[in-house]
Amino acid sequence: MKMKKSVSSVLAVLAVLFTSALIVANILANKQLAIWQWSVPAGVLCFPISYIISDVVSEVYGYAISRKLAWLGFAVNAWMSLTVYLAVIIPG
């Protein structure tokens, strides 16, 4: 009999936070902010959260899980890009 792998609820929450922060950062990247003398994309407000979560997952759960989390973020980002593209090109 095969045993199921259990997923930590903390890891699940971190995965949701990581992908959410990544998507929000990519959406906000279109807006420019003036911070002191610099013009920066608004995504810099949210992207550090995804970086920190990725680092924490790598340290606590290992490189393999961190790599899976990065691929999950890529897949969700690709899905978001596709759905936004389709919403723009489909006539109202």
Side-chain angles (χ1 to χ4, degrees):
M1 179 179 221
K2 280 186 156 180
M3 295 190 64
K4 282 187 161 184
K5 288 184 180 179
S6 63
V7 176
S8 167
S9 59
V10 175
L11 178 59
V13 169
L14 288 174
V16 169
L17 289 174
F18 172 78
T19 54
S20 299
L22 195 63
I23 294 300
V24 170
N26 286 330
I27 291 171
L28 291 178
N30 294 318
K31 171 76 173 145
Q32 292 292 316
L33 299 177
I35 299 178
W36 295 294
Q37 301 288 331
W38 299 301
S39 176
V40 296
V44 301
L45 300 174
C46 195
F47 185 75
I49 294 170
S50 66
Y51 184 80
I52 291 168
I53 292 173
S54 176
D55 192 40
V56 167
V57 168
S58 180
E59 289 291 326
V60 174
Y61 296 101
Y63 180 70
I65 298 294
S66 180
R67 191 173 60 229
K68 287 179 184 177
L69 186 62
W71 278 108
L72 175 68
F74 174 75
V76 172
N77 195 12
W79 174 251
M80 188 248 345
S81 298
L82 178 67
T83 54
V84 168
Y85 174 73
L86 290 174
V88 169
I89 66 168
I90 294 174

